[in-house]
Amino acid sequence: MSTFSLLALTLSLLLIFTTATSSSSSSSDDLVNDLLTLQSNSKTGIIHLNDQLISRFLTSSKTPRAYTLLIFFDAVQLHDKSELRLRDLHKEFSILATSFITNNADKPSSDKIFFCDLEFKESQSSFGLFGVNALPHIRLIEPNVSNLKDSDKMDQGDLSRLADSMAEYVESKTKLTVGPIIRPPMFSRNQISLMVVFVLIWTPFVVKKILTGQTLLHDPKLWLSGSVFIYFFSVSGAMHNIIRKMPMFISDRNDPSKLVFFYQGSGMQLGAEGFAVGFLYTIVGLLMAFVTNVLVKVKNVNVQRFIMIFVMFVAFWAVKKVIYLDNWKTGYGIHGYWPSSW
């Protein structure tokens, strides 16, 4: 073969390789641009997928892809089941999406991961491709994943703190920075304006009641009840339940007809667990208050001794139950200590 023929063959192969590479790069750029368009058209930043879009962006696209997808699997017909918390989790997922987009608007990394959701009735075949058979369910499809069942699944522990724990999961898996979680304000401007007007109208009447001592704040029983409520509210973890929107109980996955009130594992705490522990702590606190403020005024020594023994027995039982629950839930044991010498 002549030198000229060899040179022509080499140039032809180089041209074919360059054309194929350019075509592949152009196709990847087109997919990214389509995802960006769908994202910009969504109010929440979540791209709503279906079977056709799953085929276009995942099953029909070559690996490695130029993007990563985080998919929230949803089922509208299950939104009424409070134990699944699908509606709340989807809202937190949208907060995660908008926070990432806002915090990374000027960074190239914002084009690399897209937040999507998939509805069961609309895309049952896609649920089968991922092997999803239980909700809530979130999957991370990285660029090199070809078999969708091999994509990474977000654990239940990553949902415990809602958008915050989801963000930690995304950062640990993708090495991207989500940034601070941006939550919508609790009250709108109109609501705040109405509250300010209401406060200004009622302020003179409230001041008059306070100066004349005719308010509930001057009633000692209210302060007593309030202190007991605050004590119970503090030790029961009620604030945690409100902030994280934790359910009182969940259905048993092995037997949906049964309810689970105590979840074994430190990743999540149900509302019933906190209330049970708070109730036991409150009993001990009230008994201690009774002993130090009421029992000391009883003149009969035998009555004092009997009630004191009863209080010690109940307090010991309550604390023992709390320690047992903590050991069962976390696996950490609490051992008694007896000094070897005084």
Side-chain angles (χ1 to χ4, degrees):
M1 182 181 292
S2 65
T3 304
F4 178 78
S5 299
L6 184 60
L7 180 60
L9 178 61
T10 303
L11 290 175
S12 300
L13 292 175
L14 182 60
L15 180 61
I16 293 172
F17 176 77
T18 304
T19 304
T21 304
S22 176
S23 175
S24 175
S25 176
S26 177
S27 176
S28 298
D29 291 340
D30 290 341
L31 292 176
V32 171
N33 290 332
D34 290 343
L35 286 168
L36 286 172
T37 301
L38 292 172
Q39 177 181 274
S40 62
N41 292 335
S42 172
K43 294 181 179 179
T44 60
I46 297 177
I47 300 172
H48 185 66
L49 299 177
N50 51 35
D51 292 336
Q52 291 74 25
L53 294 178
I54 288 291
S55 175
R56 173 170 170 74
F57 295 118
L58 292 177
T59 57
S60 299
S61 60
K62 296 181 180 180
T63 57
R65 306 178 192 88
Y67 49 83
T68 299
L69 299 184
L70 186 67
I71 302 179
F72 182 95
F73 293 84
D74 196 11
V76 176
Q77 67 270 24
L78 298 179
H79 280 191
D80 293 334
K81 292 192 174 183
S82 59
E83 65 273 13
L84 296 178
R85 301 188 300 152
L86 287 178
R87 198 190 307 268
D88 295 334
L89 289 174
H90 191 274
K91 182 180 178 181
E92 291 294 318
F93 188 76
S94 67
I95 292 175
L96 172 66
T98 53
S99 299
F100 180 87
I101 295 170
T102 303
N103 295 328
N104 296 273
D106 300 329
K107 299 179 182 178
S109 59
S110 61
D111 298 346
K112 300 300 183 182
I113 183 170
F114 297 91
F115 299 83
C116 313
D117 64 1
L118 196 65
E119 211 283 319
F120 177 73
K121 281 188 176 181
E122 300 174 358
S123 312
Q124 294 187 27
S125 61
S126 295
F127 271 65
L129 291 176
F130 285 94
V132 177
N133 51 24
L135 297 178
H137 197 103
I138 298 178
R139 284 287 183 96
L140 180 71
I141 302 89
E142 296 182 280
N144 293 317
V145 173
S146 55
N147 186 353
L148 298 183
K149 291 185 179 180
D150 295 335
S151 56
D152 194 81
K153 175 188 174 184
M154 187 181 293
D155 296 330
Q156 292 296 319
D158 296 316
L159 303 175
S160 60
R161 294 187 294 110
L162 307 177
D164 298 278
S165 55
M166 293 182 194
E168 292 177 359
Y169 169 84
V170 171
E171 292 180 343
S172 65
K173 296 294 182 180
T174 65
K175 308 305 178 183
L176 299 175
T177 302
V178 175
I181 298 300
I182 304 173
R183 296 184 178 276
M186 184 177 297
F187 302 105
S188 64
R189 290 185 178 180
N190 292 335
Q191 291 175 328
I192 295 175
S193 300
L194 289 175
M195 286 189 289
V196 170
V197 172
F198 178 81
V199 170
L200 291 176
I201 293 175
W202 280 96
T203 297
F205 299 97
V206 173
V207 171
K208 181 180 178 181
K209 291 288 185 180
I210 293 175
L211 294 177
T212 57
Q214 298 177 0
T215 65
L216 290 174
L217 297 177
H218 293 82
D219 188 354
K221 296 179 181 178
L222 177 66
W223 290 98
L224 176 62
S225 303
S227 61
V228 173
F229 172 77
I230 292 174
Y231 179 81
F232 175 82
F233 193 85
S234 302
V235 299
S236 66
M239 184 58 71
H240 169 272
N241 298 335
I242 294 173
I243 295 175
R244 304 302 177 192
K245 298 181 181 179
M246 302 302 296
M248 291 295 295
F249 52 84
I250 58 176
S251 298
D252 192 340
R253 293 190 174 184
N254 299 324
D255 186 0
S257 62
K258 294 182 179 179
L259 299 178
V260 176
F261 294 91
F262 295 87
Y263 181 85
Q264 189 171 16
S266 57
M268 182 174 68
Q269 174 181 303
L270 299 175
E273 297 179 44
F275 285 159
V277 174
F279 177 73
L280 294 173
Y281 274 130
T282 303
I283 288 178
V284 175
L286 290 175
L287 288 176
M288 294 299 103
F290 174 80
V291 169
T292 56
N293 292 275
V294 178
L295 188 60
V296 293
K297 299 179 180 180
V298 177
K299 296 181 179 181
N300 192 317
V301 178
N302 292 328
V303 173
Q304 283 186 338
R305 291 174 178 173
F306 174 79
I307 295 178
M308 194 64 194
I309 292 173
F310 174 77
V311 168
M312 293 175 63
F313 173 78
V314 174
F316 178 81
W317 171 83
V319 174
K320 183 179 179 181
K321 289 295 182 182
V322 173
I323 294 175
Y324 169 78
L325 179 60
D326 180 75
N327 175 256
W328 173 82
K329 185 173 180 63
T330 64
Y332 294 103
I334 299 177
H335 306 284
Y337 170 75
W338 190 259
S340 58
S341 61
W342 296 94

